Structure formats: C-alpha cells, structure tokens
Amino acid sequence: MPEQFELFNQPHEDGFWSGIGGHFNNFSQVVCEFIDNSVANFIQYHLSQKTIQITLEKVNEIVKVKIEDTGTGIVDLNRSFTIGGKDKNAPSLNEHGFGLKHALATADNSNSNWAVSTRTKELIENGSYDEVSAKYMISGYYSKRFNTNEKKWPGDFHGTGTIIEFDASKELFHSLSKGIRGRTTRFSSLVNIFIEDLGFYYSGIIETGSANIVVKVIDNGNDEIYTVPSLKPEFIKYYEPAHGQVDYDLGNGEVTIKYSFGKIKPKSNAKRYYKAN
C-alpha cells in the first residue's frame, strides 16, 4: 500500500476572492444577483411586504450602493457565507449557493468595503441586528450583533430584512453604458440605464406584483426615488402566427413560454431595449 501524505489545500483568501469575482457584463447584472435573493425570499415565504430599494449615492468618483429588502432576514448566516451553501427549499432564483459571494467579490474586488446587515423577527424582538462585513475569510470568520440602542439599523425600512452595501468603483458603475452607442459617463444618464435594465430583467416579476423595486438616488444632497416600471414591448401589429405558447424544461421543471410575432413601436427614450432597430 502506498504511503499517504496529507494535503494542505485551504484556499488562499485573496486569490480565492479575486477568483470568484468577475464574469458579469455590467453593474446591473451584479446588483441583480442580490435582487434575485430577495425575490426568492419573497416567493419562498409568501410575504405580503415585497419591496426592494436600491440606493445610489454619488460621492466623488465612487457610488455608494445599498440594496435593502423587506424579506425575512437571513436566518442562517453560516450557510449564506459558505461557498456552495444552499437551502434545498429555495426557489430556482437562489439555489446554487454561490450568487451572494460571487456578486460581492465582483462588487468589491479589494474585499475591503462591503457589508451585509440583516434582522429576523427574533432579532427585532431582541432589539438587535447582525452584520457581516469585509474582509471575507475562509476560517476564523465572525459576524457582529449590534444592539439598536447603541448602533442604529442602517436601513430605511422598519421591519425584518437584509441590507447589502458596497462602494462601486468608477469603472464598475460606468460599465452600465457598455454596448450602448455614444457611451455616457453622466451619473443621471447611467442611473436611467440602470432603471431600464431592471425594468427589462424583472418585467414579469414587477407586472405580477411579486416584487416592487425602487431606486433611490442621492446626488449633491438631493434625494429622488424612482419606481422601476415593467419594461415590455408595445406591438403596433401582429404577423401570423400572431401568438402561441410552448411547454419546455429550461432545467428546473417544465414552464410555459408564450410568444408573439409582430412589429413593435420603438421606445424613443430607451437606451438598450425594444429600440426596433
């Protein structure tokens, strides 16, 4: 029998964090990973309060980002911050156990400025909330529990929920205009593109009332809140076969896909979608 040697193969933290980051096309796709977790929570627990607020605050060359939801809060932080840790009962929007860490590593590649705050019903009753923040470590990692009399809950909502915060670099935020003719760097224009992206990605979620998504913008001390509308094509006329549907398994059980053939009205204010070009 050959002699055996123990392997010490614990990942190097900085290389690990850098390695799981990236592979997103733009800022919107990073934020959508966090939104997917919130929507999955709303669906799993049949919640009546289903609001997600994304705050974008321009501070010099960076944008401070805060994603807050009215979900149940994170019950098991150990599982949430374990690579591959997953809830077998979670909907398909949140079932593989990588999304949160993957998106955090992309949002904050330096592993230095992100934070996740959460509070469940039990924590509210105890007058406290939990926080996990940078730097992500493979072992010897601790969450913090704050008493709300000593440190105020950092969110705008008063019930249970989760908040994700990070500083978006200029490069990451400007990726919003990637692929758009005449790429803009204006903060207000980039915000409009972000809202358009969310309206397109979550059109069905918004239309069915599965979630209400709002964007809060803070620029030079001024606050504005925008409700993200469902972005869908507006048909001028239809071609045969005008409408139809097909049942198909996309990997998580059979779903019904509805389709239409026709000519759509160009959206004059759109930067990316339904331009009918």
Side-chain angles (χ1 to χ4, degrees):
M1 183 174 179
E3 186 177 357
Q4 295 183 1
F5 297 91
E6 184 178 357
L7 289 176
F8 297 94
N9 61 340
Q10 185 173 1
H12 185 277
E13 287 166 354
D14 292 338
F16 168 80
W17 189 254
S18 177
I20 66 170
H23 315 297
F24 289 94
N25 189 50
N26 58 38
F27 174 83
S28 294
Q29 291 182 3
V30 175
V31 174
C32 284
E33 280 286 352
F34 304 128
I35 294 176
D36 283 355
N37 289 344
S38 298
V39 174
N41 183 261
F42 297 161
I43 294 171
Q44 183 174 357
Y45 294 100
H46 309 286
L47 301 183
S48 57
Q49 296 296 321
K50 297 173 284 190
T51 297
I52 302 164
Q53 178 176 280
I54 303 102
T55 301
L56 306 173
E57 181 179 5
K58 189 175 185 297
V59 181
N60 299 322
E61 292 295 306
I62 67 168
V63 176
K64 289 189 170 294
V65 182
K66 180 190 294 183
I67 301 112
E68 179 179 6
D69 69 28
T70 57
T72 61
I74 301 173
V75 175
D76 190 346
L77 285 169
N78 288 318
R79 183 180 63 211
S80 295
F81 283 90
T82 298
I83 296 297
K86 57 185 179 181
D87 182 352
K88 64 181 180 180
N89 298 315
S92 59
L93 281 166
N94 180 23
E95 87 276 303
H96 52 70
F98 281 84
L100 174 65
K101 285 74 68 175
H102 184 196
L104 282 175
T106 306
D108 174 21
N109 191 250
S110 64
N111 197 11
S112 62
N113 63 60
W114 62 268
V116 177
S117 304
T118 191
R119 59 181 182 181
T120 61
K121 183 178 179 181
E122 181 181 5
L123 288 172
I124 287 179
E125 291 172 351
N126 293 332
S128 59
Y129 69 90
D130 289 343
E131 180 189 284
V132 181
S133 59
K135 169 181 178 180
Y136 185 90
M137 292 181 284
I138 303 298
S139 62
Y141 201 33
Y142 297 92
S143 63
K144 302 171 186 175
R145 180 159 295 176
F146 293 105
N147 186 300
T148 50
N149 291 326
E150 299 170 352
K151 186 179 179 182
K152 183 182 176 183
W153 169 249
D156 289 342
F157 303 139
H158 301 295
T160 60
T162 298
I163 300 170
I164 296 170
E165 300 174 86
F166 62 91
D167 292 344
S169 66
K170 178 180 177 180
E171 179 185 11
L172 177 60
F173 197 70
H174 284 194
S175 68
L176 281 164
S177 63
K178 187 185 297 184
I180 294 176
R181 181 177 296 178
R183 289 184 64 176
T184 181
T185 59
R186 290 183 57 188
F187 180 63
S188 58
S189 299
L190 292 169
V191 168
N192 288 335
I193 294 171
F194 177 60
I195 292 172
E196 182 182 332
D197 281 345
L198 296 184
F200 175 78
Y201 294 153
Y202 296 101
S203 61
I205 295 290
I206 295 168
E207 193 170 48
T208 59
S210 298
N212 174 44
I213 304 174
V214 297
V215 177
K216 180 179 179 180
V217 180
I218 305 175
D219 188 14
N220 292 321
N222 299 316
D223 293 15
E224 289 191 70
I225 295 181
Y226 303 90
T227 298
V228 176
S230 173
L231 185 63
K232 304 194 76 173
E234 183 181 344
F235 283 91
I236 299 172
K237 63 180 180 179
Y238 293 96
Y239 307 125
E240 291 298 329
H243 309 286
Q245 66 182 47
V246 60
D247 294 327
Y248 195 79
D249 188 344
L250 296 172
N252 196 51
E254 198 169 79
V255 295
T256 298
I257 302 172
K258 298 180 180 180
Y259 58 85
S260 299
F261 288 97
K263 180 179 181 179
I264 65 172
K265 180 180 179 181
K267 289 190 178 293
S268 59
N269 60 341
K271 295 295 184 182
R272 204 190 307 275
Y273 307 103
Y274 305 128
K275 295 174 66 65
N277 48 349

